[in-house]
Amino acid sequence: MALHPRTKIDRRTLLIGGGAGLGLLVAWATWPRTYPPNLTADPGESLFGAWIKIGTDGHVTVAVPQCEEGQGVYTAMPQIVADELGADWKLVGVEPAPLNPLYANTLAAETLFAAAFGQLPKGMRAGHARRTGLMLTGGSTSIRNFEVELKRAGAAARVLLCRAAARRWNVDWEACAAAGGVVTHGSQRLGFGELAAEAADESLPDEVPLRSGEGARLYGKPLPRLDAPAKVDGTAVFAGDVRLPDMVYASIRQGPSGETQLARIDRAEADKVPGMLAVVTTDQWVATVARNWWAADRALDAMRPRFRTPENVINSDSIEAALSAAFESEGARIEQAGNLAADFRGARVVAAEYRVGLALHAPLEPMTCTAQFSDGRLRLWLPTQAPGLARAAAARAAGLGESDVIVNPTLAGGSFGARLEQDAAGQAALLARRIGRPVQLVWPRGEEFRHDRYRPAAAGRLTAKLNEQGRITGWLAKIAAPATGHELAERLLGGDALAGAAVAVAGSGDASAVEGALPPYAIPNLAIDHHPADIGIPTGYWRSGAHSYTCFFTESFIDELAHVAQQEAVSFRMAMLGQQPRLARCLQMAAQLGGWQGGVPGSGQGIACHSFRGSHIAVLAEASLTGDRRVKVERLVAAVDCGRVVNPDLVRQQIEGGLIFGMAAATGCSTEFTENVADVRQLGELMLPTLADCPDITVEIIASTAEPGGASELAVPAVAPAVANALQAATGIRFRRLPLLSDAE
């Protein structure tokens, strides 16, 4: 779909390339190393490689392979291209890229599926992700992975336009310049649209120069979002906006977590609902199809589906017990330095245990997919962070080859990692095949919560030794958590033989389950152990991954150690950040902007810092407990260094949103479990912050010339420990569990 200046709602892009089932490793060497682009041009447009189209009216369309879920990728990626191309921002549009190995996100593959790709030989990882066509959005990787390619694409198109203009003017192309959608040479001017057709036939020189100089640059400017106008006027197309001729609507009910099977439904009661059309069942779920979604959902309730109870009963107590039991098993050492055993031998140590509960994704848009089966081909419309995996899931469910499935990616109404999962694609595909009409499947909100792939519950047992000067000389972090990285790779890459084999030999430890647990501080002796915990609940990738709990463990414990050492918390941290100048600067800046008072009793101030995805952040929080024992966060101050910034407004939006998201996770956004079913059924039960609960927020982006780091997840991890540390300063009580106060009720 192209947004601003043009809208292409019903663009039907055949996603091709990169199948599952890769065969023997020996075949890897014979796979192709280059791939032709399959981007298509409309009448009046000329193609410039795999990324850019230019029309005769001067519009520039950039193909974006990433899912726009609110993070601004539909603006940042075109902005990089437009800057290098010299385009007029008012004439730049965007559309989803077709599935092609050219658009594989190799960095996201290594980040999200480290359990598989981390086991492959280093030289094979990127090649394997590309050959399997892994187009992925996640792990704050979009700019970090694609910036260089986008710059090269923009530079190449600019050179071709300059060469076409130079040919007309009979001058040296290197004496031509491009800016504002116009190629110039002295007083001579030609618009991109006038040159596009000729330029597309030009050839590139051996060396394609990038733009130099600071004049008329778009990179680093707070340009308006390309997706904003369509979202404001209602023309933006989300999956729920898709309307097809003769379309019907479906709701779904699935069994409790674990091995369950549909046992009974009351079909006669469903038929009493006006508009009810059909019931589709499998062993795992039942769906109702009606003329409107409300009728389908009412019919589903009327049927009162019953599922056989799983043999293993899961509840909140069993989850807690599984975490505790995990500590009794031998852990896998993930990180180590120095000689921790010698440092701890005979020493007095400080120890504390922290726990976090399950966290839900809870995006505003529930799981949804529209499917149409006709003429032997299946078409899908859905928000997805992994279109190739969605196509594969739909093909399996419908009994089709992947080449017979067409995926139309739509905007996503939030995700936070939830749209990596492909259940809805398979379900909608099966419904469309059986019903013989286009079907729009929307999960009820309760189903979204009952069958989320939760951020796992986890526990951390931290132990440290302080020397006579109050410096940390030894650090041991034992973390009990599900092997979510293994689980994610097995679930989503199940058809990838090579990746599956890599997961199988990865061993019991899962590095992604303790990612972020390595402190940024200079500690001479340390060890990080993962104790895999089988909690019986499916888990998945959640915004910031394991950092969301490992940062809480680390920064809360650092604060406790500062108290034991009788040192002020910022100075205590700064003394250990000599080798982390960027993080140290963030810490100093947050303390200065927030008016840090030293975290003294009664101040209600807490601070925390964290580094990941190539970025750094420090968060100062001011918080208190209300008379009815609720956490009130009055203020959040964040200092951020995320390297070179494409669009500062986008970064600020992501940091502000991440702070609120992190605050929500600190105070709610969790669920208990009873007999294999999540207790939470409605958004109102999640204790999410309302507008009235939102604190005063200050965000300072520190100018940096370093390579771009991730921004969309950066603000999430440090909020919870900053708030917990603030509550300790306000009340004198140390809260060691998320959601906060859940251990005090």
Side-chain angles (χ1 to χ4, degrees), residues 675-711:
E675 295 186 356
N676 299 68
V677 177
D679 293 348
V680 169
R681 306 295 172 85
Q682 300 293 331
L683 278 173
E685 300 172 39
L686 285 179
M687 298 178 64
L688 299 176
T690 64
L691 190 60
D693 298 320
C694 287
D696 178 73
I697 293 177
T698 301
V699 175
E700 180 71 16
I701 302 173
I702 298 173
S704 175
T705 58
E707 291 299 305

Side-chain angles (χ1 to χ4, degrees), residues 70-143:
Q71 82 279 39
V73 72
Y74 269 20
T75 300
M77 293 181 75
Q79 187 168 345
I80 296 170
V81 172
D83 174 69
E84 198 61 49
L85 176 60
D88 182 348
W89 188 245
K90 296 188 297 294
L91 296 176
V92 176
V94 61
E95 70 180 45
L99 192 66
N100 190 306
L102 289 170
Y103 307 114
N105 190 335
T106 58
L107 182 58
E110 290 199 45
T111 301
L112 300 174
F113 302 121
F117 283 84
Q119 308 306 314
L120 298 176
K122 186 175 182 180
M124 188 187 297
R125 296 173 192 172
H128 183 65
R130 193 173 296 279
R131 290 179 184 88
T132 51
L134 272 177
M135 289 171 59
L136 297 166
T137 304
S140 301
T141 59
S142 295
I143 301 304

Side-chain angles (χ1 to χ4, degrees), residues 15-22 99-100 108-109 112-113 117 128-129 132-137 380 382-397 402 405 407 409 417-427 429 488-496 499:
L15 304 186
I16 63 172
L22 301 175
L99 192 66
N100 190 306
L112 300 174
F113 302 121
F117 283 84
H128 183 65
T132 51
L134 272 177
M135 289 171 59
L136 297 166
T137 304
L380 302 177
L382 78 165
T384 174
Q385 294 174 251
L389 299 182
R391 183 189 63 171
R396 287 194 301 270
E402 291 186 24
V405 179
V407 175
R419 300 307 175 246
L420 286 167
E421 305 295 338
Q422 308 301 335
D423 296 25
Q427 293 161 350
L488 190 73
E490 289 172 355
R491 184 167 64 242
L492 298 184
L493 301 181
D496 185 331

Side-chain angles (χ1 to χ4, degrees), residues 222-301:
L223 300 181
R225 293 180 63 133
L226 294 185
D227 56 336
K231 287 179 177 177
V232 170
D233 66 21
T235 58
V237 174
F238 293 84
D241 297 319
V242 173
R243 294 294 182 267
L244 302 173
D246 202 31
M247 189 174 80
V248 292
Y249 302 82
S251 186
I252 195 167
R253 185 72 50 80
Q254 300 162 88
S257 294
E259 295 294 328
T260 63
Q261 189 173 17
L262 182 64
R264 181 176 62 83
I265 59 173
D266 191 342
R267 174 62 191 269
E269 290 299 313
D271 288 339
K272 296 177 183 178
V273 177
M276 175 63 185
L277 296 174
V279 174
V280 176
T281 63
T282 70
D283 288 343
Q284 288 75 41
W285 52 264
V286 54
T288 48
V289 181
R291 292 190 177 91
N292 61 75
W293 187 86
W294 179 243
D297 198 50
R298 289 183 60 201
L300 194 61
D301 288 338

Side-chain angles (χ1 to χ4, degrees), residues 99 247 288 325 334 399 451-452 633 679 689 729 740:
L99 192 66
M247 189 174 80
T288 48
I334 305 300
H451 289 276
D452 199 358
V633 181
D679 293 348
L740 295 168

Side-chain angles (χ1 to χ4, degrees), residues 133-172:
L134 272 177
M135 289 171 59
L136 297 166
T137 304
S140 301
T141 59
S142 295
I143 301 304
R144 293 189 293 146
N145 188 81
F146 289 108
E147 185 191 40
V148 171
E149 289 184 64
L150 293 169
K151 283 186 173 182
R152 288 173 178 168
R158 172 175 47 79
V159 167
L160 293 175
L161 290 165
C162 286
R163 298 193 84 165
R167 191 178 300 279
R168 284 200 192 183
W169 296 327
N170 195 28
V171 298
D172 184 356

